[in-house]
Amino acid sequence: MGKIEAKVNARRRSAWAGTAGVAVTLGVTELLAGLSPSIPSAISSIGSYVVDVTPAWLESFAISTFGTADKAVLGLSMVIVALLFGWLLGNNSSVSPWPILIGFALFAIVGIAAQLGDAAAETGIVVVSTLIAGVVGLLTWYGIREWTKPKERDVTDGDIPSIERRRLLLAVGAAATVSVLMIGVGRAKIRSRAEAQLEALDLPVPFTAEKDPTGENDFDLKLVAPIVVSNTTFYRIDTALVVPAIDPEEWTLTIHGMVDKEVVLTYDDILNMPLVEKYATLACVSNEVGDHLVGNALWTGVPLPDILNLAGVQPGADQIVGRSVDGWTAGFPTELAFDGRDALLAVGMNREILPANHGFPARLVIPGLYGYVSATKWITEIELTTWDGFDGYWIPRGWAKEGPIKTQSRVDRPKSGGRIPIGTYVFGGVAWAPTVEIEQVEVQMDDGPWQTAELTEPLSTNSWIQWAFETDVSEGPHTLRVRATDRTGQTQSELRVAPRPNGAEGWHMIRFVATT
Ligand SMILES: Nc1nc2c(c(=O)[nH]1)N[C@H]1C(S)=C(S)[C@@H](COP(=O)(O)O)O[C@H]1N2
Ligand SMILES: [Mo]
């Protein structure tokens, strides 16, 4: 084998081995994070920093493009970037090991620094676990390189000889498999630990759980969103990569700012106040026409006016700002808390303790306002201030300061692009205009006339409704449009408007094919 060919294949082997080394390092870090509550996930910790420094346009783009999958996409992108680094480091370490040693050392420093930003991290344990992960990764790199080193044999072409090539494939494949397994197990453990923590709390359940809020009003139509969306399927949008794990024994809610006296409430204080149950639809401003960042649930909580009155709102305090334990903020006009719209400090969702993903121990639910200006999860402060005195998280990032939810409707059945049998078919979907109510929903097939759909009985003024429309469908491709009219008499306008800055507009249209 010629010298140059040997060099080429040594670089290539080292590069693949470096990639495998990084994969194994990531796997070990996640596995160890799963095994010990004192070791935060390195991927999530670094991801949180990435979110912090992500430009606003990219963050908004990620939410509108990937929706509730934005976190998974971020995690995957980070892993891919790390693997590419591994490839580069390996590629440059075929002769001297220094590049990969230095690269891994830098990785370790960044990883440790990020993990120590987590309150649960214990420095010594984090340092040791990171070193273990790094060393195992480097040994993987070294081992694969050595194992795939061509023996002194007659090799005529410059490629990696077949035996060694097979070995390389086998070793990298094995490393990848083991890494994926370790990451899977680690993340599953992290998740189940959070759930176990919540269960171990043995909280008093103050909810009058006589019957499940299953919404017996539902039309019985497959594919149409249920009137009450379950906690596990309810959309989730937030900037938190790691769901805040809050000990309700230590958590407090402070009402301060332009108030007569500052008030600090504990979780028990709140559970001991008179609780009410209200259905309300929550929607994300990033929701595109026809999309799914919207849901309806039964919220249990204390009326927000009751909380505010404990502190006494001063005249001129025309903005209420919610602040979460991780520093996220949202603000809305004070008058909206007092105008009778059932603004809540919620502690329960569908008669369960508010799930961690949705803001445990407490969050705001302000009917009629998009989540980004109102629905602070993991809330720890309510600050009374002036309208001009403060802008919430998304305002300087190019979203409107006021965020009333726009009247919208959606076709759920059939799925866009779907096939249905010719003949009688029941179309269906949902429509929402929280605080206002839906007056009418109309559908239009192809370019035919607008026809009125049937509506379910609304569970509350703030709750979405289902619509259904039965008609005969002829063979071939069709379109179906939907539009809603709310109780103010406003009909959704056809004009397409992008979600930014204050919510999407336009009629949802689907295409489908009817066949025999
Ligand atoms: N602490 C915190 N609360 C938050 C957010 C956030 O990023 N952090 N996002 C808001 C946005 S944009 C929306 S749409 C709703 C979504 O609530 P959900 O995840 O319970 O559906 O939460 C709001 N509350
Ligand atoms: Mo949102």
Side-chain angles (χ1 to χ4, degrees):
M1 176 167 52
K3 262 218 164 96
I4 294 173
E5 284 88 353
K7 256 194 201 151
V8 169
N9 88 44
R11 282 180 87 96
R12 193 141 10 113
R13 284 185 294 109
S14 183
W16 280 110
T19 314
V22 166
V24 169
T25 295
L26 291 176
V28 173
T29 57
E30 291 304 292
L31 182 64
L32 292 175
L35 296 179
S36 162
S38 316
I39 307 173
S41 151
I43 297 180
S44 302
S45 306
I46 296 174
S48 298
Y49 278 97
V50 175
V51 171
D52 278 349
V53 300
T54 299
W57 63 266
L58 186 58
E59 196 175 357
S60 304
F61 166 83
I63 290 179
S64 59
T65 311
F66 307 117
T68 51
D70 60 340
K71 293 177 183 63
V73 171
L74 172 64
L76 204 66
S77 318
M78 284 172 30
V79 168
I80 290 170
V81 169
L83 294 176
L84 285 175
F85 267 120
W87 204 92
L88 279 178
L89 291 174
N91 196 41
N92 289 300
S93 305
S94 59
V95 183
S96 153
W98 282 112
I100 199 165
L101 287 177
I102 293 170
F104 266 61
L106 289 177
F107 257 143
I109 292 169
V110 172
I112 291 172
Q115 290 176 83
L116 292 183
D118 191 303
E122 278 182 45
T123 313
I125 302 179
V126 166
V127 170
V128 171
S129 71
T130 307
L131 287 181
I132 293 175
V135 168
V136 174
L138 285 171
L139 287 175
T140 304
W141 164 74
Y142 184 78
I144 293 180
R145 239 176 54 130
E146 291 303 303
W147 194 49
T148 58
K149 206 175 245 170
K151 302 282 166 319
E152 290 297 325
R153 255 190 271 115
D154 257 357
V155 184
T156 41
D157 63 13
D159 231 351
I160 307 175
S162 60
I163 298 181
E164 282 72 22
R165 195 198 309 223
R166 228 171 291 141
R167 281 190 172 180
L168 188 59
L169 219 74
L170 196 73
V172 173
T177 311
V178 171
S179 306
V180 168
L181 279 178
M182 288 192 291
I183 292 181
V185 170
R187 299 217 70 99
K189 287 241 176 227
I190 294 172
R191 258 200 310 277
S192 61
R193 187 163 60 225
E195 280 158 22
Q197 261 171 3
L198 251 185
E199 268 162 36
L201 290 174
D202 194 23
L203 296 169
V205 181
F207 314 135
T208 52
E210 274 145 29
K211 54 180 166 41
D212 282 347
T214 45
E216 62 268 35
N217 291 356
D218 286 57
F219 288 136
D220 200 11
L221 288 177
K222 279 211 179 83
L223 299 178
V224 177
I227 295 179
V228 180
V229 179
S230 76
N231 292 359
T232 46
T233 54
F234 205 95
Y235 84 96
R236 172 189 167 202
I237 288 290
D238 54 60
T239 59
L241 274 191
V242 187
V243 177
I246 298 173
D247 180 348
E249 295 286 312
E250 279 166 29
W251 173 86
T252 54
L253 173 65
T254 305
I255 301 97
H256 67 109
M258 295 170 69
V259 292
D260 295 336
K261 62 169 195 303
E262 187 173 308
V263 170
V264 179
L265 299 172
T266 65
Y267 190 56
D268 275 340
D269 291 339
I270 291 166
L271 293 188
N272 286 322
M273 291 177 75
L275 298 172
V276 296
E277 293 193 311
K278 302 287 176 186
Y279 285 100
T281 294
L282 196 63
C284 183
V285 68
S286 300
N287 197 41
E288 299 276 358
V289 169
D291 214 342
H292 293 77
L293 303 179
V294 53
N296 187 57
L298 179 61
W299 305 96
T300 304
V302 181
L304 188 55
D306 294 358
I307 301 271
L308 297 174
N309 288 340
L310 291 175
V313 176
Q314 290 185 343
D318 53 5
Q319 184 176 203
I320 298 175
V321 172
R323 183 171 286 112
S324 65
V325 295
D326 60 354
W328 189 87
T329 50
F332 55 93
T334 304
E335 59 189 20
L336 304 190
F338 291 99
D339 70 357
R341 65 177 62 209
D342 290 334
L344 285 186
L345 176 74
V347 291
M349 184 175 181
N350 293 328
R351 295 204 169 117
E352 284 173 26
I353 303 273
L354 193 63
N357 278 347
H358 296 290
F360 177 84
R363 75 172 306 168
L364 293 180
V365 174
I366 316 295
L369 295 186
Y370 286 122
Y372 82 106
V373 290
S374 67
T376 310
K377 306 193 271 189
W378 314 295
I379 192 166
T380 185
E381 276 178 48
I382 295 176
E383 182 180 347
L384 276 295
T385 178
T386 60
W387 187 249
D388 297 326
F390 187 81
D391 284 337
Y393 182 88
W394 282 108
I395 313 309
R397 291 168 169 80
W399 295 82
K401 177 120 183 189
E402 283 190 83
I405 296 180
K406 293 178 179 176
T407 298
Q408 279 194 319
S409 54
R410 188 178 79 201
V411 183
D412 283 350
R413 175 191 157 92
K415 280 210 172 78
S416 193
R419 284 178 181 275
I420 66 170
I422 59 164
T424 312
Y425 186 80
V426 184
F427 296 89
V430 284
W432 59 95
T435 72
V436 179
E437 280 197 41
I438 294 292
E439 172 77 34
Q440 174 177 260
V441 171
E442 297 163 286
V443 296
Q444 179 191 41
M445 208 185 350
D446 304 323
D447 290 316
W450 284 94
Q451 289 172 284
T452 308
E454 268 183 73
L455 309 183
T456 56
E457 201 56 45
L459 292 177
S460 79
T461 310
N462 299 321
S463 185
W464 70 5
I465 49 94
Q466 291 178 338
W467 61 264
F469 180 75
E470 185 176 323
T471 192
D472 249 4
V473 185
S474 61
E475 190 168 359
H478 297 281
T479 60
L480 190 85
R481 292 184 180 79
V482 64
R483 69 179 187 198
T485 303
D486 62 34
R487 290 257 154 108
T488 66
Q490 282 282 334
T491 301
Q492 278 180 266
S493 88
E494 177 176 16
L495 193 73
R496 279 276 175 156
V497 168
R500 198 185 171 95
N502 66 352
E505 289 176 35
W507 296 337
H508 186 210
M509 185 192 85
I510 61 148
R511 294 170 197 284
F512 63 97
V513 179
T515 53
T516 46

